[in-house]
Protein backbone atom coordinates (compact mmCIF):
# COMPACT_ATOMS: atom_id res chain seq x y z
CA UNK A 1 0.00 0.00 0.00
CA UNK A 2 1.39 3.41 -0.95
CA UNK A 3 1.93 5.89 1.85
CA UNK A 4 -0.43 8.92 2.08
CA UNK A 5 2.46 11.26 1.30
CA UNK A 6 3.25 9.28 -1.86
CA UNK A 7 -0.41 9.20 -2.77
CA UNK A 8 -0.74 12.95 -2.31
CA UNK A 9 2.18 13.53 -4.66
CA UNK A 10 0.40 11.37 -7.24
CA UNK A 11 -3.00 12.99 -7.06
CA UNK A 12 -2.24 16.61 -6.08
CA UNK A 13 0.01 17.57 -8.96
CA UNK A 14 3.34 15.90 -8.17
CA UNK A 15 3.27 13.79 -11.38
CA UNK A 16 6.32 11.88 -10.20
CA UNK A 17 5.06 8.61 -11.68
CA UNK A 18 3.83 7.87 -15.16
CA UNK A 19 0.14 7.22 -15.76
CA UNK A 20 0.65 3.52 -16.39
CA UNK A 21 2.64 2.99 -13.17
CA UNK A 22 0.19 5.10 -11.17
CA UNK A 23 -2.71 3.03 -12.49
CA UNK A 24 -0.87 -0.15 -11.53
CA UNK A 25 -0.33 1.07 -7.96
CA UNK A 26 -3.88 2.36 -7.56
CA UNK A 27 -5.69 -0.84 -6.46
CA UNK A 28 -3.22 -1.51 -3.65
CA UNK A 29 -3.41 1.83 -1.90
CA UNK A 30 -7.08 2.35 -2.78
CA UNK A 31 -8.39 -0.73 -1.00
CA UNK A 32 -5.99 -0.23 1.86
CA UNK A 33 -7.19 3.35 2.48
CA UNK A 34 -10.86 2.38 2.12
CA UNK A 35 -10.49 -0.50 4.55
CA UNK A 36 -8.62 1.59 7.14
CA UNK A 37 -11.22 4.36 7.13
CA UNK A 38 -14.01 1.80 7.58
CA UNK A 39 -12.15 0.30 10.53
CA UNK A 40 -12.20 3.72 12.15
CA UNK A 41 -15.92 3.98 11.47
CA UNK A 42 -16.52 0.63 13.20
CA UNK A 43 -14.53 1.80 16.22
CA UNK A 44 -16.64 4.94 16.49
CA UNK A 45 -19.82 2.90 16.20
CA UNK A 46 -18.62 0.63 19.02
CA UNK A 47 -18.00 3.64 21.24
CA UNK A 48 -21.49 4.93 20.52
CA UNK A 49 -22.92 1.50 21.39
CA UNK A 50 -21.04 1.47 24.66
CA UNK A 51 -22.44 4.90 25.55
CA UNK A 52 -25.92 3.70 24.61
CA UNK A 53 -25.62 0.74 26.97
CA UNK A 54 -24.51 3.01 29.82
CA UNK A 55 -27.41 5.43 29.29
CA UNK A 56 -30.05 3.01 28.06
CA UNK A 57 -32.47 4.07 30.82
CA UNK A 58 -31.73 7.79 30.68
CA UNK A 59 -33.58 10.52 28.84
CA UNK A 60 -30.63 10.80 26.43
CA UNK A 61 -31.05 7.21 25.19
CA UNK A 62 -32.81 8.41 22.04
CA UNK A 63 -29.88 10.70 21.18
CA UNK A 64 -27.37 7.88 21.66
CA UNK A 65 -29.51 5.62 19.48
CA UNK A 66 -29.50 8.23 16.73
CA UNK A 67 -25.72 8.51 17.02
CA UNK A 68 -25.33 4.75 16.61
CA UNK A 69 -27.62 4.72 13.59
CA UNK A 70 -25.75 7.64 12.04
CA UNK A 71 -22.41 5.88 12.45
CA UNK A 72 -23.69 2.62 10.97
CA UNK A 73 -25.31 4.37 8.01
CA UNK A 74 -22.37 6.55 6.95
CA UNK A 75 -21.62 6.56 3.23
CA UNK A 76 -18.90 7.95 0.98
CA UNK A 77 -20.33 10.83 -0.98
CA UNK A 78 -17.30 11.62 -3.14
CA UNK A 79 -17.43 8.23 -4.93
CA UNK A 80 -19.86 8.39 -7.85
CA UNK A 81 -20.79 5.45 -10.13
CA UNK A 82 -20.45 6.05 -13.85
CA UNK A 83 -21.68 3.02 -15.77
CA UNK A 84 -19.44 0.06 -15.03
CA UNK A 85 -16.81 2.29 -13.35
CA UNK A 86 -16.67 4.67 -10.39
CA UNK A 87 -15.30 8.20 -10.17
CA UNK A 88 -13.75 9.60 -7.00
CA UNK A 89 -11.34 12.26 -5.75
CA UNK A 90 -8.40 10.45 -4.09
CA UNK A 91 -7.39 13.62 -2.25
CA UNK A 92 -10.55 13.41 -0.17
CA UNK A 93 -9.81 9.77 0.57
CA UNK A 94 -6.33 10.69 1.80
CA UNK A 95 -7.80 13.35 4.08
CA UNK A 96 -10.24 10.81 5.51
CA UNK A 97 -7.38 8.41 6.13
CA UNK A 98 -5.18 11.01 7.85
CA UNK A 99 -7.93 12.44 10.06
CA UNK A 100 -9.76 9.14 10.71
CA UNK A 101 -13.13 10.56 9.65
CA UNK A 102 -15.74 10.08 6.94
CA UNK A 103 -16.74 13.19 5.05
CA UNK A 104 -20.41 14.07 5.15
CA UNK A 105 -22.41 14.87 2.05
CA UNK A 106 -22.74 18.56 2.90
CA UNK A 107 -18.99 18.79 3.54
CA UNK A 108 -18.13 17.23 0.18
CA UNK A 109 -20.46 19.58 -1.70
CA UNK A 110 -19.13 22.59 0.20
CA UNK A 111 -15.48 21.74 -0.45
CA UNK A 112 -16.17 21.23 -4.16
CA UNK A 113 -17.99 24.56 -4.38
CA UNK A 114 -15.15 26.42 -2.67
CA UNK A 115 -12.45 24.71 -4.72
CA UNK A 116 -14.16 25.35 -8.06
CA UNK A 117 -14.78 28.99 -7.18
CA UNK A 118 -11.15 29.45 -6.12
CA UNK A 119 -9.88 27.97 -9.38
CA UNK A 120 -12.19 30.28 -11.33
CA UNK A 121 -11.10 33.33 -9.31
CA UNK A 122 -14.55 33.99 -7.86
CA UNK A 123 -15.61 34.77 -4.33
CA UNK A 124 -18.25 32.55 -2.74
CA UNK A 125 -20.06 32.53 0.60
CA UNK A 126 -21.57 29.39 2.12
CA UNK A 127 -23.44 28.84 5.37
CA UNK A 128 -23.12 25.92 7.78
CA UNK A 129 -24.56 25.38 11.22
CA UNK A 130 -22.43 25.12 14.32
CA UNK A 131 -20.85 21.68 14.72
CA UNK A 132 -20.88 20.73 11.03
CA UNK A 133 -17.11 20.92 10.65
CA UNK A 134 -16.28 24.38 9.32
CA UNK A 135 -13.13 24.74 11.41
CA UNK A 136 -12.13 21.09 11.89
CA UNK A 137 -12.82 19.72 8.40
CA UNK A 138 -13.61 22.35 5.73
CA UNK A 139 -10.80 24.82 6.45
CA UNK A 140 -7.94 22.25 6.75
CA UNK A 141 -9.15 20.36 3.69
CA UNK A 142 -9.29 23.53 1.61
CA UNK A 143 -5.75 24.40 2.69
CA UNK A 144 -4.55 21.00 1.47
CA UNK A 145 -6.41 21.35 -1.83
CA UNK A 146 -5.63 24.99 -2.64
CA UNK A 147 -2.09 25.48 -1.28
CA UNK A 148 -0.08 24.43 -4.32
CA UNK A 149 3.08 26.50 -3.91
CA UNK A 150 1.92 29.15 -6.38
CA UNK A 151 -0.58 31.02 -4.22
CA UNK A 152 -0.83 31.91 -0.55
CA UNK A 153 -3.69 30.37 1.42
CA UNK A 154 -4.66 32.26 4.57
CA UNK A 155 -7.45 31.74 7.07
CA UNK A 156 -8.95 34.77 8.80
CA UNK A 157 -11.26 34.51 11.77
CA UNK A 158 -12.32 36.68 14.75
CA UNK A 159 -9.63 37.17 17.38
CA UNK A 160 -11.63 35.13 19.89
CA UNK A 161 -11.36 32.06 17.61
CA UNK A 162 -7.72 32.53 16.61
CA UNK A 163 -6.13 30.23 19.22
CA UNK A 164 -8.69 27.48 18.72
CA UNK A 165 -8.43 27.59 14.92
CA UNK A 166 -4.63 27.51 15.09
CA UNK A 167 -4.71 24.50 17.43
CA UNK A 168 -7.04 22.65 15.03
CA UNK A 169 -4.79 23.41 12.06
CA UNK A 170 -1.70 22.24 13.93
CA UNK A 171 -3.47 19.03 14.92
CA UNK A 172 -4.62 18.30 11.37
CA UNK A 173 -1.22 19.02 9.83
CA UNK A 174 0.94 17.31 12.46
CA UNK A 175 0.87 13.96 10.64
CA UNK A 176 4.44 12.80 9.89
CA UNK A 177 3.37 11.53 6.46
CA UNK A 178 1.95 14.85 5.31
CA UNK A 179 3.18 17.72 7.48
CA UNK A 180 2.26 21.31 6.74
CA UNK A 181 3.57 24.39 8.58
CA UNK A 182 1.04 26.65 10.31
CA UNK A 183 2.10 30.30 10.59
CA UNK A 184 0.45 33.19 12.42
CA UNK A 185 0.41 36.72 10.99
CA UNK A 186 0.53 39.35 13.73
CA UNK A 187 0.78 42.93 12.51
CA UNK A 188 -0.20 46.34 13.89
CA UNK A 189 0.98 49.92 13.56
CA UNK A 190 3.74 49.53 16.17
CA UNK A 191 5.28 46.65 14.19
CA UNK A 192 7.44 47.79 11.24
CA UNK A 193 6.82 46.09 7.92
CA UNK A 194 10.25 44.61 7.29
CA UNK A 195 11.55 42.35 4.58
CA UNK A 196 11.55 39.53 7.13
CA UNK A 197 7.74 39.66 7.17
CA UNK A 198 7.61 39.43 3.39
CA UNK A 199 10.13 36.57 3.40
CA UNK A 200 8.01 34.72 5.98
CA UNK A 201 4.91 34.93 3.80
CA UNK A 202 6.85 34.00 0.66
CA UNK A 203 8.20 30.94 2.43
CA UNK A 204 4.65 30.07 3.51
CA UNK A 205 3.45 30.30 -0.09
CA UNK A 206 6.26 28.16 -1.47
CA UNK A 207 6.03 25.67 1.42
CA UNK A 208 2.25 25.30 1.04
CA UNK A 209 1.77 26.42 4.63
CA UNK A 210 -1.41 27.65 6.28
CA UNK A 211 -1.36 31.28 7.45
CA UNK A 212 -3.64 32.18 10.35
CA UNK A 213 -4.53 35.84 10.93
CA UNK A 214 -6.99 37.98 12.83
CA UNK A 215 -8.90 40.59 10.80
CA UNK A 216 -7.09 43.43 12.58
CA UNK A 217 -3.73 42.17 11.29
CA UNK A 218 -4.94 41.98 7.68
CA UNK A 219 -6.52 45.43 7.83
CA UNK A 220 -3.41 46.89 9.49
CA UNK A 221 -1.27 45.99 6.48
CA UNK A 222 -3.52 48.01 4.17
CA UNK A 223 -3.93 50.94 6.55
CA UNK A 224 -0.20 51.07 7.30
CA UNK A 225 0.54 51.35 3.59
CA UNK A 226 -1.99 54.18 3.22
CA UNK A 227 -0.46 55.97 6.21
CA UNK A 228 3.05 55.67 4.81
CA UNK A 229 2.00 56.94 1.38
CA UNK A 230 0.26 59.90 3.00
CA UNK A 231 3.33 60.78 5.06
CA UNK A 232 5.56 60.53 1.99
CA UNK A 233 3.17 62.79 0.08
CA UNK A 234 3.31 65.45 2.82
CA UNK A 235 7.11 65.15 3.03
CA UNK A 236 7.49 65.60 -0.73
CA UNK A 237 5.20 68.64 -0.65
CA UNK A 238 7.29 70.20 2.15
CA UNK A 239 10.53 69.62 0.23
CA UNK A 240 9.06 71.21 -2.89
CA UNK A 241 7.79 74.21 -0.94
CA UNK A 242 11.19 74.67 0.72
CA UNK A 243 13.07 74.51 -2.58
CA UNK A 244 10.67 77.00 -4.18
CA UNK A 245 11.14 79.43 -1.29
CA UNK A 246 14.92 79.16 -1.59
CA UNK A 247 14.76 79.85 -5.32
CA UNK A 248 12.57 82.89 -4.77
CA UNK A 249 14.97 84.55 -2.29
CA UNK A 250 17.18 87.20 -3.96
CA UNK A 251 19.49 87.69 -0.96
CA UNK A 252 21.25 84.59 0.31
CA UNK A 253 24.53 84.24 2.21
CA UNK A 254 27.09 81.66 1.11
CA UNK A 255 26.84 78.35 2.87
CA UNK A 256 30.22 78.84 4.59
CA UNK A 257 28.96 82.09 6.15
CA UNK A 258 25.57 80.80 7.28
CA UNK A 259 25.22 78.57 10.35
CA UNK A 260 21.56 77.95 9.59
CA UNK A 261 22.45 76.20 6.33
CA UNK A 262 24.29 73.47 8.23
CA UNK A 263 21.23 72.82 10.36
CA UNK A 264 19.07 72.73 7.25
CA UNK A 265 21.43 70.25 5.58
CA UNK A 266 21.31 67.99 8.63
CA UNK A 267 17.54 68.21 8.73
CA UNK A 268 17.25 67.41 5.02
CA UNK A 269 19.56 64.42 5.40
CA UNK A 270 17.61 63.15 8.38
CA UNK A 271 14.30 63.52 6.57
CA UNK A 272 15.77 61.80 3.49
CA UNK A 273 16.77 58.75 5.54
CA UNK A 274 13.35 58.63 7.19
CA UNK A 275 11.62 58.94 3.83
CA UNK A 276 13.69 56.08 2.41
CA UNK A 277 12.74 53.82 5.32
CA UNK A 278 9.09 54.72 4.77
CA UNK A 279 9.43 53.94 1.06
CA UNK A 280 10.90 50.52 1.87
CA UNK A 281 8.16 49.81 4.39
CA UNK A 282 5.44 50.88 1.96
CA UNK A 283 6.90 48.57 -0.70
CA UNK A 284 6.84 45.65 1.75
CA UNK A 285 3.19 46.34 2.59
CA UNK A 286 2.40 46.47 -1.12
CA UNK A 287 4.09 43.12 -1.73
CA UNK A 288 2.18 41.55 1.17
CA UNK A 289 -1.10 42.84 -0.24
CA UNK A 290 -0.09 41.48 -3.64
CA UNK A 291 0.36 38.04 -2.06
CA UNK A 292 -3.10 38.30 -0.52
CA UNK A 293 -4.70 39.38 -3.81
CA UNK A 294 -3.03 36.54 -5.70
CA UNK A 295 -3.94 33.92 -3.09
CA UNK A 296 -6.99 32.59 -1.29
CA UNK A 297 -8.45 33.99 1.94
CA UNK A 298 -10.74 31.73 3.96
CA UNK A 299 -13.05 33.84 6.15
CA UNK A 300 -14.66 32.19 9.16
CA UNK A 301 -17.71 33.92 10.69
CA UNK A 302 -17.91 36.12 7.61
CA UNK A 303 -21.03 37.92 8.84
CA UNK A 304 -19.00 39.26 11.74
CA UNK A 305 -15.80 39.99 9.82
CA UNK A 306 -17.52 42.03 7.08
CA UNK A 307 -19.83 43.95 9.40
CA UNK A 308 -18.41 47.51 9.64
CA UNK A 309 -20.17 48.13 12.95
CA UNK A 310 -18.78 45.05 14.72
CA UNK A 311 -15.42 44.51 13.03
CA UNK A 312 -13.98 47.96 12.42
CA UNK A 313 -10.40 49.05 13.07
CA UNK A 314 -9.82 52.63 14.20
CA UNK A 315 -6.62 54.03 12.68
CA UNK A 316 -6.13 57.80 13.28
CA UNK A 317 -3.94 59.55 10.70
CA UNK A 318 -2.16 62.90 10.52
CA UNK A 319 -0.91 65.30 13.15
CA UNK A 320 -2.57 65.67 16.51
CA UNK A 321 -4.48 68.87 17.26
CA UNK A 322 -5.78 70.09 20.57
CA UNK A 323 -9.53 69.97 20.92
CA UNK A 324 -11.52 73.00 22.01
CA UNK A 325 -12.50 73.04 25.68
CA UNK A 326 -10.28 69.97 26.27
Amino acid sequence: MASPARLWELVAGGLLLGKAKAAAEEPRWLWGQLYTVRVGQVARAQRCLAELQEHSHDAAAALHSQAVAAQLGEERHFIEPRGSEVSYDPRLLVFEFLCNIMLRKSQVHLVRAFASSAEAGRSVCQQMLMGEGKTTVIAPLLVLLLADGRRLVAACMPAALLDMSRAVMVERFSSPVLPRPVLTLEFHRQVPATKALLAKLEAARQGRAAVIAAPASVKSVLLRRIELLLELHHSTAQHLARSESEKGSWLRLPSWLSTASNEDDVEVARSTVQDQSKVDEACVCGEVLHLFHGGVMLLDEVDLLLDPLRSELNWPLGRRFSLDMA
Side-chain angles (χ1 to χ4, degrees):
M1 181 179 65
S3 65
R6 182 62 168 174
L7 173 60
W8 197 268
E9 291 177 354
L10 278 171
V11 301
L15 299 179
L16 300 180
L17 295 178
K19 291 184 178 180
K21 190 174 181 180
E25 287 191 0
E26 182 176 5
R28 290 182 292 174
W29 59 255
L30 173 61
W31 296 114
Q33 308 286 341
L34 293 173
Y35 177 79
T36 304
V37 174
R38 284 298 184 182
V39 169
Q41 178 198 3
V42 172
R44 290 190 296 271
Q46 289 177 344
R47 287 195 297 268
C48 293
L49 283 173
E51 295 177 356
L52 177 60
Q53 291 177 355
E54 293 178 1
H55 304 278
S56 59
H57 302 289
D58 298 345
L63 296 178
H64 291 290
S65 300
Q66 294 177 2
V68 173
Q71 287 293 339
L72 294 176
E74 282 188 346
E75 300 178 3
R76 281 195 173 88
H77 301 283
F78 59 88
I79 298 181
E80 302 174 352
R82 293 185 178 180
S84 60
E85 299 179 351
V86 294
S87 174
Y88 67 97
D89 190 340
R91 298 174 297 180
L92 303 183
L93 177 58
V94 173
F95 187 80
E96 284 189 345
F97 175 82
L98 292 177
C99 301
N100 192 23
I101 62 173
M102 291 194 67
L103 295 173
R104 304 170 187 170
K105 185 176 182 179
S106 59
Q107 294 172 345
V108 173
H109 290 172
L110 193 63
V111 167
R112 287 176 175 173
F114 275 122
S116 60
S117 298
E119 295 297 337
R122 300 192 306 267
S123 299
V124 63
C125 180
Q126 299 286 347
Q127 183 178 6
M128 293 184 70
L129 299 178
M130 182 180 298
E132 294 188 354
K134 296 188 299 293
T135 304
T136 59
V137 177
I138 301 299
L141 183 53
L142 286 175
V143 171
L144 285 176
L145 295 180
L146 300 178
D148 54 2
R150 295 179 288 115
R151 54 189 172 191
L152 180 69
V153 177
C156 183
M157 68 288 299
L161 302 178
L162 184 64
D163 293 336
M164 187 268 291
S165 301
R166 179 172 52 231
V168 170
M169 286 285 186
V170 171
E171 179 185 0
R172 293 304 192 197
F173 299 144
S174 60
S175 173
V177 297
L178 191 63
R180 289 289 179 92
V182 179
L183 307 179
T184 303
L185 175 63
E186 295 182 358
F187 188 82
H188 48 83
R189 69 188 314 168
Q190 281 76 31
V191 176
T194 61
K195 294 183 178 180
L197 174 63
L198 180 59
K200 175 182 177 181
L201 294 178
E202 283 285 356
R205 178 182 63 84
Q206 297 176 4
R208 304 180 181 183
V211 178
I212 309 296
S217 298
V218 179
K219 295 177 182 178
S220 296
V221 177
L222 174 61
L223 295 177
R224 180 57 178 165
R225 176 175 169 80
I226 295 175
E227 182 182 22
L228 291 170
L229 294 178
L230 183 62
E231 292 177 355
L232 289 172
H233 174 72
H234 292 331
S235 178
T236 303
Q238 291 177 358
H239 291 331
L240 291 176
R242 183 181 302 172
S243 61
E244 291 296 332
S245 63
E246 292 178 354
K247 291 180 181 179
S249 177
W250 61 274
L251 179 61
R252 289 185 299 173
L253 294 177
S255 59
W256 57 276
L257 289 178
S258 176
T259 58
S261 62
N262 295 331
E263 297 177 357
D264 294 340
D265 293 340
V266 172
E267 183 65 25
V268 170
R270 184 182 297 110
S271 62
T272 302
V273 173
Q274 293 176 353
D275 290 348
Q276 184 60 43
S277 64
K278 292 179 180 178
V279 169
D280 296 339
E281 193 172 352
C283 291
V284 170
C285 292
E287 292 294 332
V288 172
L289 294 175
H290 180 70
L291 284 176
F292 285 151
H293 285 295
V296 178
M297 182 72 72
L298 307 176
L299 302 180
D300 193 5
E301 303 294 341
V302 65
D303 56 337
L304 177 62
L305 296 184
L306 300 185
D307 190 344
L309 300 180
R310 294 187 294 173
S311 182
E312 63 179 5
L313 178 62
N314 294 323
W315 191 285
L317 296 176
R319 294 181 297 174
R320 297 182 180 180
F321 297 95
S322 300
L323 299 177
D324 295 337
M325 307 299 294

